Every structure is written in C-alpha cells, then in structure tokens.
C-alpha cells in the first residue's frame, strides 16, 4: 500500500473525537501543572487539573496516576511535621478536597473522592492515624470520625458521617452512619 | 420569598456584567444578577428565568449541564454561594426557590456502587417545586422531587419524593412537620 493510502487509513481509523482530544489535551496540561506544583514530590503520571494548595512539612507519598480535578474550591494538602500522607495508585479527587494530616493517613489504591470532603486525623490534641482500604468511594460531603478504618471496596454515601469502622464491601449512609452490605443494594433501584 | 441580602448592590446595577457572566446559558431572563464568580460549563441547555440572584460572594457557583441535559432555573430564585447544580439528564428549579450556601444538586451518581465503577449509571431527574427553601450544605440526590413550598433544613440529604409544604430535616431525611404555613406570594422587590 502506498504512503498516501496508509495516511488515509490512519486518518479514517484514528479516533478523532473532539471530546477525547479535549480530554487528552487537558490531561497533558494537568501533568505539566503537576510537575510545576509538586516539584520533587512529583509522582509518575500525576495530573493536576485544578488549583492545589500545598503546605507539606512532613512526608507525602504519592502513587501513580493520581488525578486532582478542576473545580470551584481549591484542593488543600496540609501535612504537619513528622506526619505522613500516603495516597495509592489511580486515585481521583474532585475539587474542594482538603487533607489535614498531623499523624498518618493512608489511602489505598483506586479510591475515588467526591467534592468538598475534609480529611483529618486528629481531634483536638489527640492524634489518631486513619486508614482507607482499596477501591473506596467517598461521595460528596462525606466525613468521618478520625481514627477509623474503612475497609476495601466500601462506599461512603453523600453527606454521611461515619463514626465506626466500615467493614469491607459495605455501604455507609446517614448521619451517624449505618452500614449495610453492598450485595443487598444490588437489586435496589 | 425574593430574599435580597442587605449588603447586595441595588438591582439596577451590574446587569450587563451578569449577562456577560451568564453568556454560556441558552436563555437568560430579565433582571438577573450575579455577585462574585460563577462557573457555567457543559454543552447542554441552561435556562435562567427572570430576576434570579446568584450571590456567589462566599464561594463560586457552578452550573453544569452535560451534553443533551437541561438545567432550568425559574423566576425570582436566589442561589447562594458555593452551591453547584450538575445536570446529566434534567434539573428543574421552580419559581421563587431559595438555595442556601453550598447546596449540591445532582441527577446522577456518576459511578456505580457495585460492578464497574467507571461506568455512569442511568440518571433520574430532579425537580424542585415553586417556593422551596433549601438549607445550607444540603444535598439533593437523583430522584429528589420536592413539592411546592417544601422546607429543608441544613445538611439534609434527599433522594426521594417529598410532599408539598413539608418541613424536612436530617440524614436520612425525616418529616418534622407535615405542612408548613403556605408561603405568601410576594411581589418581587426589584
């Protein structure tokens, strides 16, 4: 096949969707911005689309392919001296997420976070290390009592306040939150 | 209704600026005002009625309508700062509604809770009747349908049908009073 034919075939079969191109372009811009913002804390394929405010005096460990989305309220990451914040691979954060870490906060892989969530790991003077498992989905406005453990694959519903540990694969909803198995919710509308 | 914060500038000011800030909306009624920042995005239809006040001095307001979505805001509404309306299918806000600060209205959960989380679940439309008051930090989830004159307190999370004139509180929501006194129809103060 001639070169022209190859080029024609490439143009025909290549995915020239406008939204896809915009997505890719935004993502590459976000990766540049991440390099600018995070400096030597930069991790592989970190993408920052919105505004992120960093006050890091302790250690911040970022996994691969983390995304901070664009929005109205900036994301704030505040890590105190001697504290550690670990974020796993493939996590995605919507706008307005604020981390306030004074002891340690561990977030697993493939977690999703909705908008305007505040995560802290202390109550007053007490330091309470908090852990989140893998595949956790935290919806808009959910919050938790510091010092709890959220199991793998758990879902925190919108606006819920979680005061007890959430077992893996459970849905926590309400204020204070009650937990129910996600398998029971499969047949629900 | 038609609450105007005392420190707001007189309604005769800043209308052309409001027109400019709402330029991505499909239709904007007369007498709309925008104080502060507003973020209008998405490729759907956004229709704003007359005399709507966007008071975004506290935090920016987000209006989003994804492709083929409709977001309709009625006449004489007041929307306070930090609130965000995200339409994937359709959101309708009735006449004379008052949305408090940091209210979130969405008609799609955006992710499945079980199975593949990357997929988008089917959306169910959200509608607010006329003269509804929504308190600060409330969340209206897909399927929320508020009747005429319903009153939500702060931090209420609603995802179902609410009868007209009810007074709702808490998460999960419960009815405090079945019928509040019907709001008197007032002349808009503009």
């Amino acid at each position: 096949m001639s070169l022209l034919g190859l080029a024609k075939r490439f143009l025909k079969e290549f995915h020239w969707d406008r939204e896809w191109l915009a997505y890719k372009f935004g993502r590459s811009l976000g990766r540049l911005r991440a390099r600018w913002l995070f400096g030597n804390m930069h991790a592989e394929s970190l993408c920052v689309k919105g505004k992120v405010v960093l006050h890091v005096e302790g250690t911040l460990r970022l996994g691969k392919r983390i995304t901070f989305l664009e929005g109205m309220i900036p994301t704030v990451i505040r890590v105190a001296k001697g504290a550690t914040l670990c974020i796993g691979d493939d996590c995605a954060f919507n706008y307005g997420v604020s981390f306030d870490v004074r002891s340690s906060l561990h977030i697993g892989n493939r977690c999703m976070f909705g908008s305007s969530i505040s995560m802290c790991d202390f109550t007053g003077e007490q330091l309470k290390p908090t852990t989140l498992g893998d595949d956790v989905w935290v919806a808009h406005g959910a919050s938790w009592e510091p010092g709890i453990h959220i199991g793998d694959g758990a879902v925190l519903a919108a606006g819920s306040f979680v005061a007890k540990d959430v077992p893996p694969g459970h849905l926590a909803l309400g204020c204070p939150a009650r937990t129910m198995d996600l398998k029971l919710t499969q047949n629900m509308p | 209704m038609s609450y105007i914060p005392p420190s707001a500038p007189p309604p005769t000011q800043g209308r052309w600026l409001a027109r400019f800030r709402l330029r991505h909306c499909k239709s904007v009624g007369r007498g709309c005002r925008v104080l502060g920042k507003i973020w209008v995005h998405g490729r759907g239809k956004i229709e704003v009625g007359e005399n709507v006040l966007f008071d975004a001095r506290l935090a920016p307001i987000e209006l989003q309508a994804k492709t083929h979505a409709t977001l309709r805001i009625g006449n004489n509404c007041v929307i306070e700062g930090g609130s965000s309306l995200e339409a994937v299918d359709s959101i309708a806000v009735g006449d004379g509604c008052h949305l408090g600060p940091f209210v979130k209205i969405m008609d799609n959960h955006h992710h499945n809770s079980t199975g593949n989380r990357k997929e988008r679940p089917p959306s169910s439309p959200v509608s607010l009747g006329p003269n509804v008051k929504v308190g600060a930090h409330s969340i209206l989830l897909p399927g929320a349908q508020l009747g005429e004159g319903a009153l939500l307190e702060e931090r209420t999370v609603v995802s179902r049908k609410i009868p007209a004139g009810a007074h709702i509180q808490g998460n999960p929501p419960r009815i405090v009073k079945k019928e509040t006194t019907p709001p008197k129809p007032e002349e808009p103060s503009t």
Side-chain angles (χ1 to χ4, degrees):
Chain A
M1 195 183 279
S2 66
L3 202 66
L4 192 70
L6 266 178
K8 266 186 185 168
R9 198 175 145 198
F10 173 74
L11 282 177
K12 200 177 167 190
E13 290 183 2
F14 192 66
H15 196 49
W16 281 111
D17 189 4
R18 185 185 151 176
E19 286 190 1
W20 183 84
L21 279 177
Y23 167 76
K24 274 296 187 194
F25 183 66
R27 199 159 170 90
S28 51
L29 272 186
R31 283 172 68 171
L32 283 175
R33 183 183 281 174
R35 210 159 260 281
W36 168 259
L37 274 171
F38 281 77
N40 59 355
M41 287 175 282
H42 185 268
E44 193 186 318
S45 294
L46 175 65
C47 176
V48 176
K49 289 185 179 173
K51 202 174 173 185
V52 174
V53 182
L54 286 166
H55 301 281
V56 181
E57 294 174 342
T59 52
L60 171 63
R61 269 188 231 127
L62 297 173
K64 296 167 188 171
R65 300 177 294 278
I66 294 173
T67 320
F68 291 97
L69 290 178
E70 185 191 6
M72 327 180 275
I73 308 165
T75 303
V76 183
I77 300 177
R78 196 184 292 274
V79 184
K81 223 171 217 173
T84 53
L85 168 61
C86 292
I87 302 175
D89 299 346
D90 297 293
C91 285
F93 297 88
N94 212 329
Y95 63 84
V97 179
S98 72
F99 301 89
D100 202 343
V101 183
R102 292 197 192 167
S103 57
S104 79
L105 176 64
H106 286 256
I107 294 170
N109 302 331
R110 301 176 296 281
C111 289
M112 298 189 299
F113 292 84
S115 44
S116 58
I117 296 166
S118 71
M119 291 181 247
C120 57
D121 62 344
F122 60 91
T123 46
E125 294 286 300
Q126 289 176 317
L127 303 176
K128 292 179 170 177
T130 309
T131 50
L132 273 74
D134 296 346
D135 299 293
V136 174
W137 173 22
V138 183
H140 168 91
S143 59
W144 57 76
E145 182 84 26
I148 62 160
H149 174 76
I150 295 170
D152 296 350
V155 177
L156 307 192
S160 55
F161 178 78
V162 184
K164 289 181 196 162
D165 287 7
V166 180
H170 274 58
L171 167 72
L173 77 168
C175 177
R178 291 166 299 173
T179 54
M180 65 191 281
D181 203 335
L182 271 173
K183 284 173 198 156
L184 298 174
T185 63
Q186 266 177 348
N187 301 324
M188 273 162 63
Chain B
M1 288 295 148
S2 75
Y3 158 85
I4 305 290
S7 55
T12 46
Q13 279 183 17
R15 291 198 176 173
W16 285 105
L17 195 62
R19 278 306 258 248
F20 177 71
R21 281 173 176 159
L22 295 168
R23 67 193 176 278
H24 292 300
C25 300
K26 183 150 190 256
S27 68
V28 179
R30 284 171 60 239
C32 285
R33 283 187 294 154
V34 178
L35 314 176
K37 244 183 175 178
I38 187 162
W39 185 35
V40 182
H41 63 127
R43 294 212 271 156
K45 274 186 211 165
I46 299 176
E47 293 168 12
V48 180
E50 293 180 4
N51 294 326
V52 179
L53 171 63
F54 295 96
D55 185 3
R57 292 172 296 180
L58 180 61
I61 290 175
E62 181 189 6
L63 298 180
Q64 182 188 10
K66 294 255 165 89
T67 36
H68 311 302
T70 52
L71 168 54
R72 199 168 287 124
I73 296 172
N75 304 336
N76 305 326
C77 285
V78 177
I79 296 177
E80 290 193 36
S83 48
S84 82
L85 294 95
E86 292 182 11
V88 177
D89 180 24
S90 82
I91 290 178
V93 178
D95 295 352
C97 282
H98 185 139
L99 306 186
F102 297 99
V103 165
K104 180 91 171 177
I105 302 181
M106 45 204 227
D107 66 346
N108 197 318
H109 281 297
H110 295 282
H111 303 285
N112 285 323
S113 58
T114 53
N116 185 10
R117 290 232 174 119
K118 301 278 175 200
E119 278 177 6
R120 181 165 289 169
S123 55
S124 49
V126 174
S127 68
L128 277 73
N131 298 330
V132 169
K133 272 199 168 190
V134 181
H137 293 272
S138 300
I139 302 168
L140 301 186
L141 291 173
Q145 293 184 334
L146 308 185
E148 182 186 347
L151 199 151
L152 303 193
E153 294 215 350
E154 300 92 72
R155 296 183 186 274
T156 312
V157 180
V158 175
S159 61
R160 62 182 78 175
K161 211 168 179 181
I162 299 290
H167 184 166
I168 305 289
Q169 184 193 37
N171 174 20
R174 56 180 183 276
I175 295 179
V176 178
K177 254 191 228 167
K178 274 214 165 152
E179 293 233 343
T180 50
T181 47
K184 288 171 194 168
E186 276 179 43
E187 287 288 310
S189 64
T190 47

